[in-house]
Amino acid sequence: MKILGIEHIGIAVNSIDKDAPFWKHILKISHGGTEMVEDQGVTTDIYDTGKGKIELLESMGGDTPIGKFLENRGPGIHHVCFEVEDVTKAIKELKELNIQIISDEPTIGAEGYKVVFIHPKSTGGVLVELAENP
Ligand code: CO
C-alpha cells in the first residue's frame, strides 16, 4: 500500500460548541464542515491546515466508540489517519500480514472517504485510520 500523507488527526471532545473556537478562532484554521456520521455515532467538525486536517469528534451518545473513549480516557487524541490510494487493497495487504483491523470492509467516513481502522494492538498503541479520497 502507498501512504500519501497524514490526512487528519482525530480528537475526541466533550463538546464541539465548546472546544471548536480554539481551532477556529485562536489558531484560525480554515473550517471544512460539520457532519453527522450516523453509523459511527459521531459528529465530526473538520479544520484544514492545508497540510493535514484536525477532526474534532463529538459522541452522539454513551454507547458509541467515541462515547466509550471519552468515558474511559477523557478528551484527547483519538486516532491518526493516513491517506492511502486504495483502502480495499490496503485491507487485503494488512490481513495477509496478520494486522488486526476493526472491519473487513471499508466504511464511509466523514467527507465521503472510504475508511478502515487498525487496532491499537497492532500499531504500538495508537488507533490508526486509513482513508481513500472519494
Ligand atoms: Co478520522
Side-chain angles (χ1 to χ4, degrees):
M1 101 194 65
K2 184 158 168 50
I3 299 291
L4 302 176
I6 294 180
E7 214 289 321
H8 63 264
I9 296 170
I11 300 175
V13 298
N14 284 322
S15 159
I16 287 172
D17 281 349
K18 196 172 132 287
D19 297 314
F22 171 74
W23 306 93
K24 198 183 248 175
H25 301 305
I26 306 294
L27 298 189
K28 298 184 176 72
I29 303 173
S30 159
H31 186 227
T34 309
E35 167 179 2
M36 286 160 88
V37 183
E38 298 277 356
D39 66 335
Q40 294 284 325
V42 71
T43 304
T44 62
D45 190 38
I46 293 177
Y47 296 84
D48 192 353
T49 69
K51 291 186 176 178
K53 299 170 189 160
I54 295 294
E55 179 184 73
L56 303 184
L57 302 157
E58 181 188 281
S59 166
M60 289 180 186
D63 195 25
T64 62
I66 295 299
K68 285 179 202 147
F69 180 90
L70 285 166
E71 201 179 294
N72 295 333
R73 318 227 339 221
I77 292 180
H78 176 260
H79 65 270
V80 178
C81 178
F82 297 95
E83 187 178 349
V84 292
E85 264 174 0
D86 183 336
V87 77
T88 306
K89 221 165 107 185
I91 290 172
K92 193 167 169 277
E93 279 180 50
L94 292 167
K95 284 178 83 169
E96 280 165 13
L97 296 167
N98 286 319
I99 299 297
Q100 201 178 330
I101 46 183
I102 308 284
S103 63
D104 288 348
E105 299 284 334
T107 57
I108 303 300
E111 300 183 313
Y113 277 69
K114 284 163 81 175
V115 305
V116 71
F117 286 91
I118 306 172
H119 199 284
K121 277 182 193 156
S122 289
T123 68
V126 179
L127 181 63
V128 171
E129 179 180 17
L130 301 179
E132 176 186 331
N133 197 329

